[in-house]
Amino acid sequence: MSARRILTLAGRDTETFLQGLITNDIARLDDGLIYAALLTPQGKFIADFFLLRQDDAVLLDVAEPLADDLKKRLTMYKLRADVTIAESGLNLQRGTGAQPADAHADPRHPALGWRRYTTGQTQEDGTDWDAIRVAHCIPETGIELTPDTFILEMGFDLLNGVDFRKGCYVGQEVTARMRHKTELRKGLRRVRIEGSAPVGTPITAGEKAAGTLLTQSGDHALAYLRFDRATDAMAAADATLWPA
């Protein structure tokens, strides 16, 4: 399980502050855990995270490698807003078995089970998370989700991570235009694979660039593909790929 950092955002302006920044609607906190992202003004990925209301504060669950930069960006954006950002001291536990009473369903997909925030030790239950992600085409921070990512190409809308009816947020204009005015020509797809190759291996179709190989699990993998070239057998180093 990748390391996570759990931050606490508190203060009377916290939810209004987040609403103007994140891709999802902060009002969904009324229903429990929500999934969202922070984007650049150009609509590219900075960080994805989970948010959960806890008493008068909001917990923010983010991948450890992104935590320091996200904390700095949020501090920069808050200006004079009444918002404090601090370490929560909590750890993440997650699993796909029986859900503890104080855990929350992962909002991205039912197959991803539950997440629990506790002062206890970080734990996992032996779930093969990569197998689940590949089976359901779910991107992961630092592998499929990078600073070059447009989130709709990674299926963020299918993961309940974007609300197209909320007001403005950073990167909203580009995201909305991609949704309503263009047809995606590239994106994350599940492929069949024979052989293996490292994450980041270029994919070719004939002699033309067709995309990049990402997470592999068994005889399937995730790949970032050009749809017009991903129609038949492709190659990634010594591996052969086919549309799934």
Side-chain angles (χ1 to χ4, degrees), residues 29 32-34 50-54 57-60 104 117:
L29 286 175
L33 194 65
I34 66 174
F50 299 87
L51 298 169
L52 180 69
R53 188 181 287 132
Q54 185 181 71
V58 175
L59 299 182
L60 189 154
H104 303 269
Y117 303 99

Side-chain angles (χ1 to χ4, degrees), residues 22-154:
I22 67 172
T23 57
N24 216 331
D25 188 349
I26 201 70
R28 294 186 180 184
L29 286 175
D30 292 341
D31 300 321
L33 194 65
I34 66 174
Y35 181 56
L38 180 69
L39 309 179
T40 68
Q42 294 76 34
K44 290 195 173 183
F45 175 85
I46 293 176
D48 63 326
F49 40 81
F50 299 87
L51 298 169
L52 180 69
R53 188 181 287 132
Q54 185 181 71
D55 299 323
D56 294 328
V58 175
L59 299 182
L60 189 154
D61 164 7
V62 64
E64 176 63 42
L66 303 184
D68 286 338
D69 181 63
L70 178 61
K71 192 173 179 180
K72 289 177 183 177
R73 286 177 182 271
L74 293 176
T75 299
M76 176 186 69
Y77 276 127
K78 77 183 186 70
L79 299 176
R80 296 183 181 180
D82 181 13
V83 180
T84 61
I85 305 168
E87 304 295 329
S88 71
L90 299 175
N91 296 314
L92 171 67
Q93 296 177 351
R94 64 175 180 166
T96 53
Q99 180 172 317
D102 58 347
H104 303 269
D106 191 310
R108 294 173 294 174
H109 193 283
L112 289 169
W114 48 265
R115 305 175 80 88
R116 180 175 183 242
Y117 303 99
T118 173
T119 55
Q121 293 185 344
T122 297
Q123 293 180 359
E124 56 179 311
D125 66 354
T127 295
D128 186 339
W129 299 105
D130 280 350
I132 291 175
R133 293 197 307 100
V134 170
H136 299 285
C137 208
I138 298 168
E140 177 63 49
T141 304
I143 303 175
E144 289 80 27
L145 297 170
T146 73
D148 291 325
T149 295
F150 289 106
I151 59 171
L152 296 191
E153 292 185 339
M154 292 292 131

